[in-house]
Amino acid sequence: MKLIIGNKNYSSWSLRAWLAARASGLVFEEIRIPLFIPGSRERILSHSPSGKVPCLIDHGLPVWDSLAICEYLAEKAPLWPTDPAARAIARSVSAEMHSGFMELRRQMTMNIRKDYTGHGHTPAVDADIVRIEAIWNDCRTRFGAKATTPGPFLFGAFSAADAMYAPICFRFRTYGVKPAGAAGEYLATMLAHPWMLEWDAAARAETESIPAEDLYG
Ligand SMILES: N[C@@H](CCC(=O)N[C@@H](CS)C(=O)NCC(=O)O)C(=O)O
């Protein structure tokens, strides 16, 4: 399999698919296409029908869009919780992430290398943050702590839901958002995860920058 991704510093959707691919345990080749430079659109379109990353190619079959990639990989490896109720909630919070939190995504873009502490807050962003913290607290206390496959993640063992919320963890660090309680512990767990550390280091090693994405200098 090949996974087409964008810049690791900026491309939050790429991170989600990459983490799901790592969590699947399947072997994949990573193809990184720096975004918004001459030729990038053509390069992405040569792999991805939507013209966007991420895109997974499995024996010539393109699967694009982060959530579709999670679902495709979940048919090959256990990426969702085994308990049906936990799985339903994991899918619900993942879909909510995929389609929501627009204001937070607009004002607090993923930018791993920067320290934008205190920037990006508007009433709508703060409402998104409150909702995300509630999701993390609820998942950890209702499911994570009691999961049949135990672990410190939203539903116990690392799942596709953690992949979907991973860019929020980098954003909270960049923008100095510090949740309390179970949500705060979950954030620390995610930021210390070896796959997150690997992505973080690779993002910091990148040399390209996208001025339009460096929102606060
Ligand atoms: N809904 C898509 C969003 C994909 C997306 O917006 N990707 C951005 C990078 S994070 C992209 O490819 N941008 C390049 C472009 O729009 O030309 C997903 O979940 O994968």
Side-chain angles (χ1 to χ4, degrees):
M1 289 195 299
K2 293 177 189 164
L3 182 67
I4 321 302
I5 59 171
N7 310 58
K8 290 190 170 177
N9 187 55
Y10 299 107
S11 184
S12 59
W13 297 110
S14 298
L15 168 61
R16 293 174 170 103
W18 184 88
L19 283 171
R22 292 299 295 267
S24 76
L26 299 166
V27 176
F28 68 98
E29 178 194 347
E30 181 183 309
I31 299 178
R32 195 186 73 96
I33 302 180
L35 302 174
F36 304 118
I37 58 172
S40 19
R41 182 158 177 77
E42 293 72 19
R43 282 189 70 198
I44 294 170
L45 274 169
S46 74
H47 301 282
S48 172
S50 66
K52 294 200 183 292
V53 289
C55 182
L56 182 76
I57 316 280
D58 189 11
H59 292 93
L61 174 75
V63 182
W64 62 95
D65 199 292
S66 55
L67 201 47
I69 293 170
C70 287
E71 293 292 4
Y72 183 80
L73 291 169
E75 290 183 17
K76 298 174 179 289
L79 285 184
W80 293 114
T82 47
D83 173 67
R87 192 161 64 249
I89 302 303
R91 283 202 162 105
S92 296
V93 298
S94 297
E96 184 175 348
M97 177 72 251
H98 192 248
S99 63
F101 306 115
M102 299 309 292
E103 195 58 15
L104 181 139
R105 277 156 52 188
R106 235 187 312 270
Q107 306 294 343
M108 293 187 172
T109 57
M110 192 174 90
N111 200 326
I112 290 172
R113 293 193 297 255
K114 297 283 187 183
D115 178 354
Y116 285 154
T117 302
H119 288 281
H121 290 273
T122 67
V125 169
D126 290 342
D128 282 346
I129 291 171
V130 167
R131 174 67 190 141
I132 289 168
E133 291 182 6
I135 288 172
W136 289 359
N137 278 320
D138 183 48
C139 291
R140 279 298 306 147
T141 50
R142 244 183 347 133
F143 299 103
K146 301 170 194 148
T148 42
T149 47
F153 301 100
L154 291 177
F155 294 88
F158 193 97
S159 77
D162 301 294
M164 291 305 288
Y165 279 87
I168 297 291
C169 299
F170 280 138
R171 284 171 158 114
F172 277 11
R173 186 180 66 185
T174 295
Y175 295 87
V177 178
K178 296 188 192 311
E185 287 162 22
Y186 172 69
L187 174 62
T189 296
M190 283 293 283
L191 290 174
H193 191 289
W195 298 329
M196 292 286 275
L197 295 174
E198 185 182 327
W199 183 278
D200 187 356
R204 290 176 191 283
E206 287 177 344
T207 51
E208 318 92 13
S209 59
I210 304 175
E213 295 285 321
D214 292 340
L215 295 184
Y216 307 102

